[in-house]
Amino acid sequence: MKTRMLNKVKSRLVSKNELMISSISAAQGDVKGEVDLNWDGIDFADSYIIEYCNGNRKQNWVLVDIINESKYTIKGLKPNKTYSFRVRAVNSQKQGPWSITIQKRIL
């Protein structure tokens, strides 16, 4: 009975707003050239798409990874450069909107 109810909740149609990431942060990683991203997890998300680009241009976004956790460490970034980051929640029905874009200067 509980399994059936859970499946009903999981399979209901979800609006794009229910997949919106409301908070994202970037912190210097433990190693030079790393940044730790953290964001609010979404109940109806199956996975998250992570992208970055160089500086303020906000073009030529690079796909970093598609994961199922609400945190990620990006490695291999060039020190003394500023990067922009964004994340999007995804489920079997649709993709949510991109999070706000945040910037971080890598040490």
Side-chain angles (χ1 to χ4, degrees):
M1 176 89 157
K2 283 185 181 181
T3 303
R4 229 181 327 166
M5 288 178 71
L6 179 62
N7 288 339
K8 282 183 182 179
V9 170
K10 277 283 201 184
S11 66
R12 80 172 179 77
L13 291 176
V14 202
S15 73
K16 265 191 167 184
N17 286 342
E18 290 179 288
L19 290 172
M20 187 179 342
I21 294 171
S22 60
S23 176
I24 181 172
S25 64
Q28 186 65 41
D30 294 335
V31 177
K32 204 173 203 175
E34 288 185 352
V35 66
D36 294 329
L37 298 178
N38 289 283
W39 57 91
D40 291 339
I42 305 293
D43 287 340
F44 298 105
D46 295 329
S47 57
Y48 301 94
I49 300 171
I50 305 164
E51 290 187 343
Y52 80 91
C53 70
N54 292 321
N56 298 330
R57 289 185 278 173
K58 295 186 179 79
Q59 55 188 349
N60 301 324
W61 287 96
V62 176
L63 173 66
V64 176
D65 207 345
I66 300 173
I67 63 168
N68 59 8
E69 295 182 43
S70 58
K71 62 182 178 177
Y72 191 84
T73 300
I74 299 176
K75 300 176 181 183
L77 300 173
K78 294 182 180 178
N80 301 316
K81 289 201 173 250
T82 300
Y83 291 88
S84 295
F85 304 94
R86 66 184 185 182
V87 178
R88 156 185 286 183
V90 178
N91 70 16
S92 61
Q93 299 166 7
K94 61 182 74 169
Q95 295 183 358
W98 287 108
S99 66
I100 61 167
T101 299
I102 59 169
Q103 294 183 338
K104 180 72 176 164
R105 183 161 182 83
I106 306 304
L107 303 177

